[in-house]
Amino acid sequence: MTIVHTRFWTLCLIRDGDRVLLIDRQHDDFKGFIPPGGKVEFPESFTKAAIREVKEETGLDVGNLQYKGIYEYVNPERMDRYIIFNYVTTEFSGKLLENPGEGIPTWIALSDIPGLPMQGSIRRRFPYLLREGTFEIHVTWDESRGCEGDVSITVT
């Protein structure tokens, strides 16, 4: 019997007109501007995890999350599968945290996004978060080279 190690995360892009809320994350090996999100705690739902993570990382309460798609990493050699459920919303309330642990929440104009330091996985899915429809991005990790291998993108 083969055991696959599966882990789940969420990401929620908060949009306010022509700007979005991103976290300026400057710690560990995942630096750059990213939407709020994080690990799904068992047995919580994916949507509730996204709402909780936004609150913890930004201080904002969000509602009416729209599911946008899945970003998935698979590592066949280690039998790992990491799945990130992606959401967007325009409904939020509250006040931004001043000194959160994950990084500083910052409103960024959409026109400024291309020039920001950002992880490749975030940059790759960004256009799909902003358009109509859903997406599935499937990335196979090449263990021997220590980098991404095959990438497939399905848009509906």
Side-chain angles (χ1 to χ4, degrees):
M1 178 177 178
T2 303
I3 297 175
V4 177
H5 309 102
T6 305
R7 295 185 188 145
F8 300 106
W9 284 269
T10 65
L11 177 147
C12 184
L13 184 66
I14 303 165
R15 188 167 180 177
D16 183 23
D18 66 348
R19 64 186 190 151
V20 293
L21 185 65
L22 299 177
I23 306 293
D24 183 3
R25 184 179 166 121
Q26 295 302 320
H27 63 88
D28 66 35
D29 61 350
F30 205 78
K31 294 179 181 177
F33 284 84
I34 62 172
K39 293 178 185 169
V40 178
E41 297 175 1
F42 185 83
E44 78 184 322
S45 76
F46 300 112
T47 303
K48 287 182 180 177
I51 291 168
R52 175 185 52 77
E53 285 288 343
V54 167
K55 180 71 170 181
E56 290 174 4
E57 294 183 1
T58 71
L60 298 181
D61 294 301
V62 292
N64 197 26
L65 274 59
Q66 179 185 7
Y67 171 76
K68 293 302 294 180
I70 291 175
Y71 196 99
E72 176 181 34
Y73 274 101
V74 295
N75 183 329
E77 292 182 35
R78 292 190 180 190
M79 298 302 293
D80 289 337
R81 171 169 273 172
Y82 302 150
I83 302 172
I84 304 122
F85 287 78
N86 296 266
Y87 299 89
V88 297
T89 188
T90 58
E91 294 185 18
F92 60 92
S93 63
K95 183 180 174 190
L96 291 176
L97 297 172
E98 293 185 23
N99 294 308
E102 287 299 315
I104 300 169
T106 307
W107 288 104
I108 306 287
L110 289 172
S111 60
D112 292 338
I113 298 295
L116 290 178
M118 190 177 285
Q119 292 286 321
S121 66
I122 302 296
R123 191 169 305 284
R124 180 179 289 137
R125 80 186 89 157
F126 218 92
Y128 302 107
L129 291 167
L130 299 173
R131 60 174 282 199
E132 292 295 318
T134 60
F135 65 88
E136 179 178 315
I137 301 173
H138 182 91
V139 179
T140 302
W141 187 257
D142 185 330
E143 185 71 22
S144 64
R145 292 179 33 221
C147 64
E148 291 181 350
D150 293 333
V151 176
S152 68
I153 301 173
T154 305
V155 179
T156 58

